[in-house]
Amino acid sequence: MRSLLVFCLCLYGVWAKHEAYDGSAIYEVSVNNVDEIKYINKLENELFVDVFSHAMPGRPGQVLVPKDKRDEFEAALKDFGLLYKVVQDDVRKQLELEDKLLAAASARSNKNSSRLSFDTIHTYDEVDAYLEELGRTYPDVVTVVVAGNSIEGRPIKYLRISTTNFQDTSKPVVMMQSLLHAREWITLPATLYAIQKLVVDVTESDLVNNIDWIILPVANPDGYSWTHTNARFWRKNRATGFMVGDFCAGVDLNRNFDIHWSTASSGSVCSDTFHGRGPFSEPETKAIHDILAIHGSRVALFLDIHSFGSMILFGYGNGVLPPNALITNLVGVNMAQAIDKVKWPQNRNYIVGNIAHVLYDASGGASDYGMVAGALLSYTYELPAFNNNHNTLNGFLVDPAFIEQAGFETWEGIKVGARAAASYFNPSK
Ligand SMILES: [Zn+2]
């Protein structure tokens, strides 16, 4: 009887976890010009459909549409003469497949190893324990720092990696972060891989000796935890109290920084790009602000790692280029080429460019703020969505087969960026 009850509860857990996506479908939408791009943006704000990736001519975008919006969405696309196809009719099946593949990979992994494996996606608690363990094992180079607490009280922890305990101010700093957007799970292995290479394997000793590193693997702990327990495609943090009954929650942290705040983002709580009550209203963005307030003048390279789309983007989000745009573009291209050289052939080459020119206007973004806070070079990485022909996982969903490769190939780009940024860094400035 008891085992039956446990079995029923487990089934309920699995069912409840993906309940929100029952009947949702993913559409691939093609565009030919700016008017059509703007039209999709308008639908995003009016229908609250979830744009997974923005369309551009020659590169269709993906949109998640809930069951009760599908008719309206299709009619709106037809009205405007836009071409579309349904690429996933049963999102819940995909989510269950991801659960199954990741659980199987996790069961196979070596639990006795002191390393965090690259065959599955680790939870906030697992990452947290790992950071602490690194701090204990490598006290001469690793310091665990709490930058603040999330709204739900989770510590926002980052590693300081330095052979001189951050005391040598003539050294440049490379700062990187992942999971500012909760659902972008494939970004976590990118920062964890960098940590492993710098601290455990020490394969490039110049990068550890000549550069100080700040690595923040889980920039949005509450949102990330929510994607594991309640809503896999959750993007924002878990701020509540904006509306009576908490009908909608969450601030898009990548629209909440104090750089052109609210000029190209949403004021609607229910939107996925809701910018919050004011710049730095959220503890998660405040934490990043505080890190940059201390180290900004030494930051030679700032990387905010997102997914998906295979892009290296730089500011500003309003299309105005920074004074060092030429060098920024050059280093971006060099990083992209380093990744393209080792990427899997079925994934496309990286695109490099200004975010507003390549994608769309966006205000309040982390990498834009990185620049005004002092970073010499600042980028948003959009890692690839690995599309495995053997199953239907793509977009934000992670095929375990791709996890280590995502870490490895991104590190190839980071190494190039870090060395270039260090060569341009002038400590007297
Ligand atoms: Zn993102």
Side-chain angles (χ1 to χ4, degrees), residues 180-181 184 235 254 305-308 380 382 396:
L180 190 64
H181 282 150
E184 297 166 8
R235 163 182 164 106
N254 209 28
I305 304 177
H306 289 252
S307 75
F308 55 89
T380 301
E382 295 280 356
F396 294 116

Side-chain angles (χ1 to χ4, degrees), residues 192-208:
L192 295 180
Y193 197 90
I195 290 171
Q196 172 152 320
K197 290 290 140 187
L198 291 166
V199 176
V200 183
D201 298 344
V202 201
T203 43
E204 273 86 18
S205 56
D206 65 308
L207 294 180
V208 195

Side-chain angles (χ1 to χ4, degrees), residues 318-331:
N318 59 2
V320 175
L321 295 173
N324 65 345
L326 274 179
I327 285 179
T328 304
N329 191 67
L330 176 72
V331 175

Side-chain angles (χ1 to χ4, degrees), residues 53 110 120 152 206 229-230 267 269 271 344 367 373 383 387 399 423:
S53 67
N110 180 6
T120 192
E152 291 175 354
D206 65 308
T229 55
N230 290 69
V269 188
S271 165
W344 281 350
S367 69
L383 302 193
N387 197 348
D399 187 325
S423 75

Side-chain angles (χ1 to χ4, degrees), residues 128 131-132 142-148 155-161 166 175-177 195 213-218 287-288 290-292 294-295:
D128 190 69
L131 298 184
E132 292 293 344
V142 173
T143 310
V144 184
V145 186
V146 178
I156 302 163
K157 288 186 191 174
Y158 66 93
L159 289 192
R160 270 184 6 197
I161 299 168
F166 265 70
M175 174 167 173
M176 69 173 104
Q177 59 187 35
I195 290 171
W213 295 75
I214 291 172
I215 304 184
L216 168 59
V218 188
I288 295 162
D290 293 350
I291 298 170
L292 286 166
I294 303 168
H295 304 290

Side-chain angles (χ1 to χ4, degrees), residues 40 43-44 47-51 63-66 69 73 272:
I40 295 176
L43 292 183
E44 178 182 17
L47 296 179
F48 294 115
V49 291
D50 189 346
V51 175
V63 185
L64 175 75
V65 184
K69 299 271 175 62
F73 182 69
D272 255 345

